[in-house]
Amino acid sequence: MGSRVFPRSLALVVALAVCATIAVVLVLGTVDPWTPKIGLFAGGADLHVYRDGGWRVLHGLPLYSGPVALGLLYTYTPFSAIAFVPLERIPGAYVDNLWMVVNLGVLAGCILLCWRILGYRLTPYLLVVTALTTVTCTFVEPVRTTLFYGQINLVLMLWVLWDFSRPERSLLRGVGIGLGAAIKLTPAFFVVLLLALRQWRAAAVATSVFAGTVALAWVVVPRDSRRYWTSTFFDSTRIADDAHPSNQSLRGTLTRLTDGQAPPWVWLILAGAVAVAALVVSVRLYERGERLLSVVLGGLTAAVVSPYSWSHHWVWLVPLLVYVMHRAVSGSGRWWFACAALFAATAAWPYWWSPNVIVVGLFLYPPSWPVAFLLQNVYVLVYVPVLASAIRMVTRPAQSRPTLTSVVTDPPAPEPSEVPLRSA
């Protein structure tokens, strides 16, 4: 349980209420929510791909031999299709709205878990702050896009945060990471983080859960499992062109920077160096008590080093916003400027290419603009100062800052003295 109370401030509640109101106006007003192909309530493409995966499992049809729902390719693991069977049982007339409500609840749950990792006690005031922050974050582009497509990224992030909010001695620590990796491989990066933190039992639990789901899928859908792990898993072209602006990863940035001429080994070296550096920094942050920032850096790094990262993979920007808010209310007010800058850079700003074509996200703005390269790589560029700031935090001498550090999740030992292009 948390050991301290979130600082109460009427000004903060009023400011968050204003931000939440503005976010709702922007979400529903900048693009008509019923606009075909882009309106918030006119999406659900990925959700229906999930449901089709579950339907194919129930009817013994192949997952990876060709397009599934809406002409898209199924790119998730065979186990994910088994996990999506319950979604297939929900009537199509209700599933879109129901899943959006679930995602909003999951978003609130993620923010609450962030407060827990930071060591705050759950109070009615903190619930109000959480609710207002949740509404405000709906205009963060990865969240808006996750809601629009009916994506599962928020659920996966919730599972990871749940693991890291549990005591290190908990037998269940690692279950969420294992399940997340079993559905969408990216959360497997946190297994590496657990190993770097020398949390052997949690890493073993996560690995065992993942292995168990792979084994289950081999029993239930053996042909799909064989095809996925021997062929589909290695075929990145099933997702999209690496150079597409929607690929907000280091590989996408490198491809755009070199016009596709950079050999694969260049990306592998750069991605490996970034991953190692981020892991070292994450461990140091964790040891210094900055537990949430350590986990957030892991989530952002997984998106950066992944071969292909859709913008909605960057939902880890939400815990980053929460962490910046924590620093703002606990220390210098200058952190509010960082919070505003982060929100402005990652919000779901729309652009009208024509009266009938609208896109959402700065990375999809016209390539003819002088600042196009900055916009097309906006999330990678956001990651750079985050990593740099984290490195600065762990390299400067440790200071006693009890109001700024996270509370450990284990009790201390007693001391002697005491869109355009889409693929699901």
Side-chain angles (χ1 to χ4, degrees), residues 6 12-13 16-21 23-24 104-105 107-112 115 122-139 318 322 325:
F6 192 86
L12 176 62
V13 172
L16 285 175
V18 171
C19 290
T21 302
V24 171
L104 288 172
L107 175 61
C110 289
I111 295 173
L112 282 174
W115 298 130
L122 186 62
T123 63
Y125 176 79
L126 189 56
L127 289 177
V128 172
V129 170
T130 298
L132 294 175
T133 304
T134 299
V135 177
T136 301
C137 285
T138 57
F139 195 61
V318 172
V322 172
M325 286 179 57

Side-chain angles (χ1 to χ4, degrees), residues 10-218:
L10 178 60
L12 176 62
V13 172
V14 172
L16 285 175
V18 171
C19 290
T21 302
I22 293 174
V24 171
V25 171
L26 291 173
V27 168
L28 301 180
T30 54
V31 177
D32 186 327
W34 299 108
T35 301
K37 298 183 180 181
I38 196 65
L40 185 62
F41 301 142
D46 289 351
L47 174 61
H48 290 283
V49 169
Y50 301 159
R51 296 180 73 243
D52 194 36
W55 184 83
R56 286 169 178 271
V57 167
L58 290 176
H59 293 83
L61 297 176
L63 290 168
Y64 307 110
S65 61
V68 291
L70 304 176
L72 301 175
L73 298 177
Y74 197 86
T75 59
Y76 298 108
T77 66
F79 172 78
S80 68
I82 300 172
F84 293 145
V85 167
L87 285 176
E88 195 276 333
R89 308 311 297 169
I90 301 174
Y94 306 104
V95 69
D96 288 336
N97 293 334
L98 178 60
W99 189 244
M100 185 170 292
V101 171
V102 169
N103 260 329
L104 288 172
V106 168
L107 175 61
C110 289
I111 295 173
L112 282 174
L113 285 175
C114 289
W115 298 130
R116 176 181 173 86
I117 295 172
L118 288 166
Y120 290 111
R121 189 181 308 143
L122 186 62
T123 63
Y125 176 79
L126 189 56
L127 289 177
V128 172
V129 170
T130 298
L132 294 175
T133 304
T134 299
V135 177
T136 301
C137 285
T138 57
F139 195 61
V140 175
E141 192 274 334
V143 174
R144 196 269 188 196
T145 306
T146 292
L147 296 175
F148 169 70
Y149 284 119
Q151 263 284 340
I152 198 171
N153 302 292
L154 290 170
V155 174
L156 303 183
M157 184 169 70
L158 180 76
W159 290 348
V160 173
L161 289 170
W162 179 77
D163 271 350
F164 280 98
S165 71
R166 300 191 61 77
E168 291 180 9
R169 299 185 184 93
S170 171
L171 296 177
L172 296 178
R173 188 176 173 100
V175 171
I177 294 172
L179 286 175
I183 291 177
K184 203 170 189 177
L185 297 172
T186 308
F189 185 85
F190 289 99
V191 177
V192 183
L193 178 57
L194 290 174
L195 292 172
L197 292 169
R198 298 184 181 182
Q199 296 182 16
W200 313 118
R201 180 165 60 186
V205 169
T207 304
S208 298
V209 169
F210 175 77
T213 62
V214 172
L216 175 63
W218 273 96

Side-chain angles (χ1 to χ4, degrees), residues 402-421:
T403 60
L404 296 181
T405 56
S406 307
V407 175
V408 296
T409 52
D410 274 335
E415 296 183 359
S417 61
E418 321 161 322
V419 143
L421 178 64

Side-chain angles (χ1 to χ4, degrees), residues 193 196 274-287 297 394:
L193 178 57
V274 170
V276 171
L279 283 170
V280 171
V281 174
S282 293
V283 171
R284 297 288 179 83
L285 288 170
Y286 198 90
E287 292 171 345
L297 184 59
V394 301

Side-chain angles (χ1 to χ4, degrees), residues 253-254 256-258 366-367 369-378 381:
T253 297
L254 184 63
R256 290 186 288 271
L257 182 64
T258 63
W369 286 19
V371 293
F373 181 77
L374 299 178
L375 298 180
Q376 289 180 358
N377 302 286
V378 61
L381 293 177

